Amino acid sequence: MSTTASSRPAAVVEPDRPRSVRARFALASSGVWAALQAVGLSYAVVALLAVAAVLDAPSASGSDGGLGAGVAAATGLWLLGHGVPLAVAGATVTVVPLGLTALAVFTAHVTAKRSAVPTLAAWIGGTVTYAATLVVATVLLALGTPGSLSVTDLALQVLAAALGGLVVGGGGSALGMFSAPDGPLLAGLTPRLDPYLPDTARLGLRAGLVGAALLTALGGLLTTVWVVLGRGTAADVAAGLGGSWFAVLVLLLTQAALVPNLVVWSTAWLAGPGFAVGTDSTFSAAATAAGPLPGLPLLGVLPGPVWSSPVAQWSPVLVVACGAAAGWFAWRRLEPSLVRVRDVAWILVGTGVAAGAVTVALQAVAGGAAGADRLAAVGADAWVTGGLVAAEIGGGAALVVLGAAGRAWLSERAASAVSDDGTASSGT
């Protein structure tokens, strides 16, 4: 890894900067090749399931079936996993299946780590290629279904495709390049923020991410409990749908893409506001009201009224505990004798902002519209949930950081008082 003339760690992006245009193009082309591989792999997985499902049950597609219907369905689902709304049966679906998003990020990570040279030129080339591929797929899908979208809606979908490509493709490629053996060090980028963001603020942001990660882990654990306890209901729903064993298998694999969404919704259940699956439904620790639900086995594991109890209403305490762990994470990285009130303030603000921002982003993409009429509202209120999580995690962090800082300050004053007493005694 190279360093600057002042020996300050460099934000290494291009270990050996090429001087010729041809060399730069070669580096960029490695990112392009990695992006094309990522697109092909993630799309192939979705296409395999979608085409098989359409060919197995042609009437379910609303057409005469065939390879064309399967490809169109696969393209729509694949784009939906990148945040591009899907128009189907006169309704617009905006709920992002986070399982497909995770698949796309993973493939971009793997292909960038294996095929791309870890340079800025390769990252830009791969990210632009990934986003351009999504835009082309969006336009081709709209042209294949004439009259389904207005010009304005198509423009919005193209914009969503571009943003989705930048976030998913660019994020996955960056993770792959940073994790490559000869890749740049992520820590080398942080000195650039020094003039604008204090070290304690950055530490607070990291602590907020730790708190959000712990909350997500709790959500995963809660979702596992729901799945185990509700497996009988889910099996009954699957049996009622009928179909061949292959259709049931495809349905189970398809629903796996929505399990991360359920994990995100469960964090809203823990934080307090809960979530909805339909405009007339509520799933929270305080109250449960389930209206008519679509015939999906996964929805059979949703918590019933028995989960809404006085004991369950204390679930936000678990979120506060996540904040306490985040506060301990931050405090362990401080020198107690050097901590001042301003440092504590920066840490607590950074912790709350990071945890709240992550929660808002996750709830926004995990919810939205899953169809027309009552299914136009699915998931949790992103801003309400994000605000509560920021307050709860920030409050938990405040309990630990303020308590530890208070003890450190008292100890420092006591030591100073003893030292002053000793000096006075020796002077007399």
Side-chain angles (χ1 to χ4, degrees):
M1 182 178 71
S2 63
T3 57
T4 60
S6 61
S7 299
R8 180 178 61 84
V12 181
V13 178
E14 298 185 10
D16 298 311
R17 289 186 179 272
R19 298 183 180 275
S20 67
V21 176
R22 178 176 298 180
R24 290 181 181 273
F25 178 79
L27 292 176
S29 64
S30 70
V32 172
W33 171 234
L36 293 177
Q37 291 180 75
V39 168
L41 288 174
S42 61
Y43 183 79
V45 174
V46 179
L48 179 63
L49 294 176
V51 171
V54 170
L55 294 179
D56 182 67
S59 60
S61 65
S63 64
D64 58 355
L67 183 61
V71 171
T75 304
L77 289 175
W78 182 71
L79 291 173
L80 183 62
H82 291 81
V84 181
L86 175 63
V88 56
T92 301
V93 178
T94 60
V95 175
V96 178
L98 295 180
L100 296 183
T101 307
L103 172 66
V105 171
F106 177 73
T107 56
H109 165 269
V110 171
T111 56
K113 184 176 181 179
R114 293 176 59 88
S115 301
V117 179
T119 62
L120 178 61
W123 181 80
I124 293 176
T127 302
V128 171
T129 301
Y130 200 102
T133 304
L134 288 180
V135 170
V136 171
T138 301
V139 174
L140 291 178
L141 182 62
L143 294 177
T145 54
S148 60
L149 292 175
S150 63
V151 176
T152 302
D153 291 338
L154 178 58
L156 292 176
Q157 287 207 351
V158 168
L159 177 61
L163 292 176
L166 293 176
V167 173
V168 176
S173 297
L175 290 176
M177 292 182 184
F178 281 121
S179 62
D182 58 341
L185 295 178
L186 185 59
L189 299 176
T190 55
R192 293 185 174 185
L193 299 176
D194 286 345
Y196 312 103
L197 202 61
D199 291 340
T200 48
R202 287 189 284 132
L203 178 59
L205 293 176
R206 290 165 57 196
L209 295 179
V210 169
L214 291 175
L215 176 57
T216 304
L218 279 181
L221 180 61
L222 179 60
T223 301
T224 302
V225 174
W226 287 348
V227 171
V228 172
L229 297 180
R231 64 186 185 279
T233 304
D236 293 339
V237 174
L241 294 176
S244 63
W245 66 269
F246 182 77
V248 173
L249 177 61
V250 171
L251 178 62
L252 292 177
L253 293 176
T254 303
Q255 288 184 109
L258 295 174
V259 171
N261 295 64
L262 185 55
V263 172
V264 173
W265 298 344
S266 67
T267 61
W269 192 94
L270 289 169
F275 60 96
V277 183
T279 55
D280 54 352
S281 68
T282 300
F283 297 92
S284 70
T288 298
L293 298 175
L296 291 178
L298 181 64
L299 299 182
V301 307
L302 294 177
V306 70
W307 283 85
S308 299
S309 65
V311 175
Q313 293 180 35
W314 286 91
S315 61
V317 174
L318 297 175
V319 186
V320 175
C322 293
W328 180 248
F329 167 86
W331 182 255
R332 292 277 301 214
R333 284 154 180 78
L334 295 172
E335 175 55 48
S337 61
L338 301 178
V339 175
R340 297 295 177 260
V341 174
R342 181 178 59 183
D343 300 322
V344 172
W346 274 118
I347 288 174
L348 297 183
V349 170
T351 301
V353 168
V358 170
T359 300
V360 169
L362 288 177
Q363 298 292 347
V365 298
D373 301 328
R374 60 178 304 275
L375 290 179
V378 172
D381 188 308
W383 291 105
V384 171
T385 305
L388 284 175
V389 168
E392 292 163 1
I393 288 184
L399 291 176
V400 172
V401 175
L402 288 176
R407 289 194 299 271
W409 293 334
L410 290 176
S411 300
E412 183 179 353
R413 287 188 178 184
S416 178
V418 171
S419 176
D420 291 344
D421 291 341
T423 302
S425 299
S426 62
T428 59

